[in-house]
Amino acid sequence: METREWILKRNCSIAPRQLAWVFAILCTVSLTVALGFTLHGAWTILVFSVIELSAVGIAFLVYARHATDREVVVLAEDGLIVEVTQAGRTSRIKLDLATLHGTRIAFPAGPQALVALDCRGQRVEVGRFINEAGRRALAQELECALAGRMGGTVALSFL
């Protein structure tokens, strides 16, 4: 049997390492200008520059912490594995193929709804990093892959 894999991740335009370089350049330019004003007696410019750079630094840290968030859904021979990485923490849930006969896929109805995989009391939601159309496509692909693997026993529901 063939392994299927879906990787869903944030659309980040800049990597955390690149962001650190941008912040270093920003700090260098801003503090150079602020020190120039401080040498001419306007010391409050330096204070406001430090406050500004602190706020921008905090915002960059929050961005960098979530830049590598992702979800990986793997349909392997031995089960369905869902791995979610958010803010550096990874959780992994495995649904055994033996219990996949009771699996239900819930299609998202609203713009914020996620694709839910229900299997005998265990619920996993995926699709945090894709739009509504992408979540619908993901749910349909999962339904087709699971139905093909399990002989058409996947239940679908529209939320």
Side-chain angles (χ1 to χ4, degrees):
M1 290 193 162
E2 179 180 318
T3 299
R4 295 270 327 255
E5 182 176 83
W6 295 266
I7 299 173
L8 313 167
K9 57 185 179 177
R10 289 187 183 276
N11 185 15
C12 294
S13 59
I14 189 167
R17 179 172 285 155
Q18 294 169 326
L19 192 62
W21 277 105
V22 168
F23 185 64
I25 292 168
L26 179 67
C27 286
T28 302
V29 171
S30 183
L31 290 175
T32 300
V33 170
L35 285 173
F37 277 99
T38 301
L39 293 175
H40 287 91
W43 60 270
T44 56
I45 301 294
L46 181 61
V47 173
F48 283 107
S49 181
V50 170
I51 292 170
E52 172 197 20
L53 291 173
S54 298
V56 170
I58 290 169
F60 279 5
L61 280 175
V62 170
Y63 173 86
R65 184 173 179 171
H66 291 283
T68 57
D69 288 359
R70 67 185 188 143
E71 298 170 330
V72 179
V73 180
V74 179
L75 180 59
E77 288 186 32
D78 59 339
L80 183 68
I81 302 163
V82 179
E83 186 176 281
V84 178
T85 303
Q86 285 186 303
R89 293 185 179 171
T90 301
S91 65
R92 184 179 178 150
I93 297 173
K94 181 179 178 185
L95 305 172
D96 291 324
L97 277 181
T99 61
L100 284 180
H101 288 288
T103 300
R104 184 174 66 93
I105 298 174
F107 285 108
Q112 301 299 322
L114 301 177
V115 176
L117 304 170
D118 289 319
C119 183
R120 303 201 178 176
Q122 209 172 13
R123 182 180 177 97
V124 181
E125 293 184 331
V126 294
R128 289 167 185 79
F129 310 121
I130 54 178
N131 61 20
E132 183 179 4
R135 285 191 291 270
R136 282 198 168 273
L138 173 67
Q140 290 172 343
E141 285 182 32
L142 282 169
E143 179 247 329
C144 289
L146 284 172
R149 184 72 56 96
M150 303 310 299
T153 59
V154 178
L156 301 173
S157 66
F158 295 89
L159 298 175

